[in-house]
Amino acid sequence: AVVQANYPNGSGYCAGNSQEFQFIVHPSPSVPALFDVVCSGQSTNMSIYADLPSTYSWSAIPSEGVQGESLLNQNNPTIQDVLELLGGEAETVFYEVVATSLAHGCNSSTSTFSCLVQPLPEPAFTTDSQALCDSVEVTFVNESANGLLFEWNYGEGLASTDVNLPVTFDAPGSYSISLGALDPVTGCEAELEQTFVVNQSPDATFSSSASYV
C-alpha cells in the first residue's frame, strides 16, 4: 500500500512524499459446525477442529429447558456436557465456538454447534392385586405410554418382552421386578425397578372325626 500525506496550504493542500507500506494478512482458522443427538442424562461428544492448528474457546447459550450445559467459557477441544431435560419435550442446546490460530493468533468467525436432547421413556407398572401371595398368579400391569419396546426382569435371569407380566411366585419373600422401556424412534431407554413382598398363602386343612353310637 502507498500512503501520501497532504498538508494544508491556505486554500489548498501540498502533497508530501509518498511512502510505501507492506502488510501481511495471515489466514484465520475456520471451524465447521457440528450437530449431536443425546438422550437426557447423557454426555455430548463433539470434538472441535479447525483447518489450522488452533486453540478453542466455547460456551453454551442458556436454555430454559435443559440443565448441565457449560455457560462459562471453556477451552477444551471437546464438548462433553451431561445434558438433562427439565421437562418431557426435546430441547436443542446451542454452543458458540471460536478458534484462535497458534501461528498468528487470528480468530475464526463464531461457529454455532447444536445438540438435540431427547426425552427418556417413562416406564410405569403396578399389579392387578394389592395382596401378593405365593402359588397364586399375579399380573404386573404395564402403565407406560404406547409405542415403546419393553423388557421385564424378575427372579434370577428370568425375562419377558410381553406388555404385561403374569407371574406365580413359588415362595414368600421380597422380589425385585424391573421394567425397561425403549423408544425405537430415539433409541432412548429407561428402567423402573420396584420391590414387592409376597406373602405366604394360608394352608387350608381340615380334619374329621366319626362318632358311632
Side-chain angles (χ1 to χ4, degrees), residues 2-204:
V2 176
V3 177
Q4 185 179 46
N6 294 322
Y7 302 94
N9 181 15
S11 61
Y13 291 88
C14 294
N17 295 328
S18 62
Q19 178 69 44
E20 183 177 340
F21 294 89
Q22 291 186 346
F23 300 93
I24 299 176
V25 180
H26 297 293
S28 296
S30 176
V31 180
L34 295 179
F35 175 73
D36 196 10
V37 180
V38 298
C39 300
S40 180
Q42 291 182 340
S43 173
T44 63
N45 187 24
M46 293 185 285
S47 297
I48 308 169
Y49 64 94
D51 58 353
L52 297 175
S54 303
T55 58
Y56 305 104
S57 175
W58 58 269
S59 62
I61 300 173
S63 175
E64 294 183 356
V66 178
Q67 66 180 8
E69 71 271 39
S70 296
L71 301 177
L72 299 179
N73 192 59
Q74 305 291 319
N75 302 113
N76 301 325
T78 304
I79 301 177
Q80 292 180 315
D81 285 347
V82 177
L83 303 176
E84 185 175 354
L85 290 173
L86 299 177
E89 299 295 328
E91 297 278 351
T92 300
V93 178
F94 295 96
Y95 294 87
E96 294 182 331
V97 181
V98 174
T100 302
S101 65
L102 294 175
H104 304 104
C106 298
N107 289 335
S108 69
S109 58
T110 300
S111 181
T112 301
F113 288 24
S114 59
C115 180
L116 176 63
V117 186
Q118 298 277 20
L120 298 177
E122 298 181 1
F125 66 94
T126 186
T127 63
D128 64 351
S129 174
Q130 294 183 350
L132 306 185
C133 300
D134 65 334
S135 303
V136 178
E137 183 179 273
V138 60
T139 298
F140 292 92
V141 181
N142 193 336
E143 296 182 332
S144 310
N146 294 327
L148 302 176
L149 302 178
F150 302 104
E151 181 176 85
W152 297 90
N153 285 280
Y154 60 102
E156 296 184 358
L158 300 176
S160 172
T161 56
D162 293 337
V163 175
N164 299 312
L165 178 67
V167 179
T168 301
F169 297 99
D170 295 331
S174 294
Y175 293 86
S176 293
I177 307 295
S178 67
L179 174 62
L182 170 68
D183 187 329
V185 176
T186 66
C188 297
E189 57 186 343
E191 184 179 77
L192 173 64
E193 182 175 341
Q194 298 187 63
T195 299
F196 296 87
V197 175
V198 177
N199 301 300
Q200 184 174 9
S201 297
D203 186 10

